[in-house]
Each structure stands twice: as C-alpha cells, then as structure tokens.
Amino acid sequence: MDTGFAHAPIGILEVRPDGVVRDGNDAAETLLSVDMGTVAGESIATVFPDSVEGRVPQAFETPDGELSVEEYYPELDRWLAVDIVPAEEAVYVYLRDETDNRRREQQRDALQSDLHRLTIGTELIADVLGDLVAASTREDIAETICTQLGGTDIYEFAWVGERAVGAETIVLQAAAGTTGRTLDRIEAALDDDADLPELRAIERGEPTVVASLGEDESVPEPIRRAAFADGLGSLLAVPLTYGSSVYGVVGVYATERDAFTARERETFGTVGEMAGFAINATRNRSLLAADRVVELTLRLSDPATPFVAATADTDARIDVTGVIQQGEQLLCYVDAATACRSVEAMATTLSAHEAVTETRVVAEHDGGGSIELIQRIETPLGQLVSQGGTVQSATFGAADDRIVVELPPDEDVRRIADAITRRYDAAVLAKRERRRDEQTTGAVRDTVTARLTDRQAEALRTAFFADYFESPRGSTAEDVATALGITGPTLLHHLRAGQRKLLAAVFDATDEQTDSGRSNGDR
C-alpha cells in the first residue's frame, strides 16, 4: 500500500478481486480492531465482523461494481460507512466511522419522539381534566377517563376500577382501547383477589409503574402471558384519590417497554387527584340534589372508634356535634357529659387513643364540656364520611353507641354497610329511605349554604362547632385558624365573606344587591 493510503484519515483495505485481503492502513486496523500483519492473506469475511446484512463479504461474491453501505457491527459497537471501489488489479474498501453521527441522530429522534409524546399527552390530559369537570356521575367519570386514554395512539388501552368499600379488591367499571386478552385476565385476577399493580397503587396512594410487563414477576403470570401475546410492554396504575380516600384506580397500558416517563407519572398523578375530586363532588351533589335519601343507623362498639374507647366502663357520654373532613383526617367537635370526671380528663383520655392526633377543650361546664378533636381517617367514622356519608347524629356511652348517617340513594348502601360491619364491631340497626320535604331544615340549609364556597363553608362550620360565635367565645380566631391549618387573616376573610352571603340569603337579597347597597348607600 502506498504512503498516501497508509496515512489516510479514513480506513483503507486493499483486497484482491477474489476477496483476499492484501493490506490495510492504520485507520482500518483501528476501526476493525485487527492486526493487519496477522489478517493479511485472510478472506474479507474473516477480517470483517458480522453484521445483520453481511453485505461487504457478499459484495465480493459478485464483484460487478461499486458498493456503498452503512451498517452496524455489534461486535465493534460501531456504525461503519463502507465504500467498495474496484480498480484494475485490486478492490479498495474505504471505511468511515459514523457511530457519533448515528448516535446524534438517535438522540435527536428520541427527543423529537419525546416531544411529540409530551405534546399529545399534555393535550390529552387537558381534555381529560376538562371532561371530568362536566362529568355528573361516577360512571361518566370512568367512561371519560377510559375513552380519552384508550382512544389515543400513544396508549393501547385503559381501564378503570372502583375500590370496594372496606376491602382491598377493585371491580372493573369501564375500559376502552384495544384490550385483547389482557383485560380478560385482569378481570379474572380481580375475581380471584390476585395481587395486581393496580392494587399496589391503591395501597401506596401514588402512581405505580411496571416497566416490563413480560418480565416483572410481581404481575400475575396469566396477565404477563396475555400482555406478551397482545404486544404490551408496560403499564401505569394511578389511584383516584381525594384526600386520604381512594375511590378507585385507572390502569393505562402501552406497547413500549418503560413507556411512562417521570413527567407522565407526575401528570397522571394530577389526573388521579382530579378524578378523585370529581367523584367526591358527584357524591356531594347527589346528596344535595336528591329528592330521597337513605338513613343508615348503626351500632358502633368497636374500640377503633376513639369515642367508644373513651366511654367504655364509665358513665360518660359523648355526642358528636360536628364532623369536618380535612384530607387524611377528621376534625370533630363533641359534647362530653363526663359525670365525675373533668372535661380535661376526658380530653386526655381521647388524646391517648392511637387514632387521635390532637385534642383541645373548647368549653367546660358542670358535668362536662365541649372538645375539639382531630382523628385519622382510618376509623369507622372516617370510613363512613369518606364514602360520601353525612353524619346526622352520633352518640357514644354506656347506654348505647349509635350513629346515624345520611347517604345518597344511588350509593351502594348495602356494600358500604357490609364493609363497615365486616371490618369493625358494628351492626346495622335500621335502614330507611325517606323523601326530602322541601321545607325541612336540611333543605333550607342546603339552599342557603349552596351560595358558599367550600372554604367558606368549612370555615363557618368549624367556627360554629368550636363555639367561636358564642359569648363568651369558646375558641379564638387563632384557635379556629389553627384547626383549619390556615392563618388568622385568611380565616377572617372566609368568615366575613361567608356571613355576608348567608345574610343576603336570609334577607332575600342577591350578592349583587348587597354589593351595590354597600357601595352606594353605606357611605
């Protein structure tokens, strides 16, 4: 090989027309990871490593002209551009390393693909959230999620399951997309109470990813087999949550392995929270607008209830006067008839219960007083409230431990009751459906409070049960604000705005009229 070829910046092999390598330069040695002194005299097929197409050795089997090819060589982990140029007495093979260029192209393509997926995903999530706002029933919510997610080209299918009250199992509610055999296996696994990623998402309360459906042994084998047959690579399970309540789960399946980026997981977490909020809102709307309601009366004697434990083996009595759900806890106000004990002693007894995080004496009088108490949601009372129930009355003491809860008529009341009685020492004493009279106290209350925002209603309820409006006050503004986890000025803002709306309703005036009167007449 002449001197010019020997020092060329690209690899050059000199090959006989029959495919035997004569010589090569230093660059060719480096690119092919060979020693030219050793391989000279060997065939081109021996010198060149294997590739998928194997087109370089094939070119010497029918050397009819020039050939340009670019191939990946796994043994070298390189992309090589090869030009084969026949001459009079030799064939020259020119080699260029295209690995860096190829990897840059792959990175660019991956970024473009991620951007495309992110754009579609962002638009999709916006559509889902928009439709959730308009959904009026839990069935609408499930259909909305499935139709939107299962109908896109970036996910194969989606399904929504509802969590059975008081249990860890979920029941299929809706599905959309190309479900194949995988959904059938999922339904069978639900019937068998098998351990599913969707159940783990409910337990953790956060999105759960299976990056490789075919290889993850935490997925039941029948589902792994079906997913492989259906060409599915990964899944994302997202719980539908509101505060500490988990209403269900959505399972989203994709064809690619590790298809769900960290950004997608975070975004889907927001979807789960919005769906949970929508489900909770539909339950509240259902109860508010229902012509008929179901009253469920239970005997609740389980020591998991702080009030049961506090009144056991004593003559004390506790009446729950107000219950306000705050995320993963319940803010309760109770009247305690403590007989020979002080209300401070009762508060101390309540605070010793594992479910109670904080107590405060609001007022004290002969034979008892009122107490503010914060308890975790994982109690019988919390489970009833988190399932859409409104506590009408709750009394605990030596004579009886009884709670009356009001539920919308479209709730599965039997399922809720069964879940409570299976899990706790409880029994259903009565269940009756009654028609709401338009002039009942509840109806009037609902009409008036419909004007309030959620935060205004929460602030007013808490202040009322905390005896803030009593004279003398049982709680200061700072006490009420602390119970709500907000600042004093924020509390006063909500109280004033809420009181103005309530007074406008009582005096048959609109907010606009009130504002107008204040701006024009109150000067």
Side-chain angles (χ1 to χ4, degrees):
M1 180 172 291
D2 64 37
T3 304
F5 280 7
H7 299 290
I10 63 172
I12 302 175
L13 292 178
E14 182 181 321
V15 187
R16 292 191 333 214
D18 62 359
V20 175
V21 176
R22 290 177 176 169
D23 202 356
N25 65 357
D26 293 342
E29 282 188 323
T30 300
L31 290 175
L32 298 175
S33 296
V34 297
D35 181 353
M36 294 310 304
T38 302
V39 301
E42 300 286 347
S43 70
I44 190 71
T46 302
V47 175
F48 254 78
D50 292 333
S51 65
V52 174
E53 298 291 337
R55 295 177 65 183
V56 172
Q58 291 175 13
F60 284 89
E61 296 177 4
T62 56
D64 297 329
E66 296 186 2
L67 173 70
S68 293
V69 62
E70 189 171 305
E71 288 187 295
Y72 177 69
Y73 294 88
E75 186 179 328
L76 302 174
D77 190 24
R78 286 195 184 112
W79 284 87
L80 296 180
V82 183
D83 295 306
I84 300 177
V85 182
E88 294 183 1
E89 298 182 356
V91 177
Y92 291 97
V93 180
Y94 301 98
L95 311 171
R96 297 188 311 279
D97 190 348
E98 293 293 326
T99 304
D100 290 342
N101 291 335
R102 278 285 188 161
R103 287 178 177 162
R104 279 194 293 269
E105 289 177 4
Q106 290 173 341
Q107 290 175 347
R108 185 180 64 247
D109 292 344
L111 288 174
Q112 289 176 342
S113 176
D114 288 346
L115 180 60
H116 174 68
R117 188 183 184 95
L118 178 61
T119 301
I120 293 177
T122 301
E123 294 173 352
L124 175 64
I125 298 305
D127 291 341
V128 171
L129 297 180
D131 289 347
L132 283 176
V133 173
S136 59
T137 67
R138 280 156 42 201
E139 290 75 16
D140 289 344
I141 293 169
E143 290 291 344
T144 292
I145 295 173
C146 289
T147 300
Q148 289 284 8
L149 299 181
T152 181
D153 61 354
I154 59 176
Y155 307 122
E156 194 70 3
F157 80 91
W159 71 278
V160 169
E162 179 182 338
R163 184 180 187 179
V165 182
E168 299 303 322
T169 55
I170 46 181
V171 179
L172 183 70
Q173 221 177 7
T178 307
T179 58
R181 285 166 285 189
T182 305
L183 186 63
D184 294 336
R185 300 297 183 272
I186 291 172
E187 287 192 86
L190 292 176
D191 292 338
D192 295 338
D193 293 331
D195 184 26
L196 294 173
E198 287 84 352
L199 283 176
R200 294 195 292 275
I202 287 177
E203 292 170 357
R204 297 169 182 169
E206 60 185 24
T208 297
V209 173
V210 175
S212 178
L213 273 170
E215 299 175 358
D216 195 321
E217 294 185 357
S218 69
V219 179
E221 184 177 356
I223 296 178
R224 296 204 309 268
R225 290 175 178 268
F228 178 79
D230 291 338
L232 299 174
S234 56
L235 81 86
L236 175 63
V238 183
L240 311 180
T241 62
Y242 177 71
S244 64
S245 300
V246 183
Y247 294 116
V249 66
V250 55
V252 186
Y253 288 71
T255 54
E256 304 89 350
R257 292 179 56 177
D258 202 13
F260 300 96
T261 65
R263 186 188 296 270
E264 282 178 291
R265 300 174 199 177
E266 181 178 347
T267 302
F268 271 102
T270 301
V271 171
E273 292 173 0
M274 285 296 297
F277 175 83
I279 292 171
N280 184 73
T282 60
R283 288 180 164 182
N284 291 337
R285 285 199 301 268
S286 177
L287 183 59
L288 185 65
D291 293 330
R292 305 187 71 84
V293 294
V294 176
E295 278 188 355
L296 190 65
T297 304
L298 301 103
R299 177 188 57 77
L300 190 57
S301 303
D302 199 297
T305 303
F307 311 122
V308 172
T311 57
D313 302 323
T314 71
D315 293 329
R317 171 190 169 108
I318 290 178
D319 292 307
V320 179
T321 59
V323 178
I324 303 164
Q325 184 175 356
Q326 294 183 326
E328 298 183 0
Q329 59 189 20
L330 290 183
L331 177 61
C332 301
Y333 290 90
V334 303
D335 283 338
T338 57
C340 299
R341 304 171 63 195
S342 69
V343 70
E344 287 282 358
M346 175 61 78
T348 300
T349 300
L350 287 168
S351 65
H353 195 279
E354 61 181 1
V356 175
T357 60
E358 188 176 338
T359 60
R360 180 176 68 88
V361 174
V362 175
E364 189 170 2
H365 51 73
D366 291 341
S370 57
I371 301 171
E372 177 188 87
L373 173 146
I374 298 176
Q375 62 172 294
R376 297 186 180 90
I377 201 75
E378 288 298 324
T379 61
L381 186 63
Q383 291 300 301
L384 287 167
V385 172
S386 66
Q387 293 303 323
T390 299
V391 178
Q392 298 300 302
S393 64
T395 300
F396 302 92
D400 199 6
D401 297 318
R402 181 175 300 218
I403 179 170
V404 179
V405 62
E406 192 175 82
L407 294 162
D410 59 352
E411 287 290 346
D412 191 344
V413 177
R414 174 178 292 180
R415 183 165 58 83
I416 293 174
D418 288 347
I420 295 296
T421 55
R422 281 199 311 269
R423 186 171 180 181
Y424 302 105
D425 181 5
V428 175
L429 300 179
K431 171 191 163 187
R432 72 184 184 98
E433 185 173 331
R434 64 172 175 81
R435 184 175 181 81
R436 266 185 170 171
D437 183 77
E438 291 185 357
Q439 299 304 315
T440 62
T441 301
V444 173
R445 180 195 61 210
D446 293 341
T447 301
V448 174
T449 58
R451 295 172 175 241
L452 304 175
T453 67
D454 290 343
R455 293 298 283 170
Q456 290 165 1
E458 184 181 44
L460 285 167
R461 281 174 56 84
T462 304
F464 176 77
F465 291 127
D467 289 347
Y468 173 76
F469 298 111
E470 295 294 327
S471 181
R473 286 176 173 165
S475 300
T476 66
E478 288 73 18
D479 292 333
V480 178
T482 299
L484 289 168
I486 58 178
T487 64
T490 301
L491 169 71
L492 294 176
H493 170 76
H494 290 316
L495 289 179
R496 291 192 185 105
Q499 287 171 319
R500 181 170 59 83
K501 289 182 178 180
L502 293 181
L503 290 172
V506 170
F507 293 115
D508 197 25
T510 64
D511 289 340
E512 289 79 7
Q513 289 171 329
T514 304
D515 291 339
S516 176
R518 185 172 61 250
S519 60
N520 296 324
D522 300 337
R523 295 182 178 176

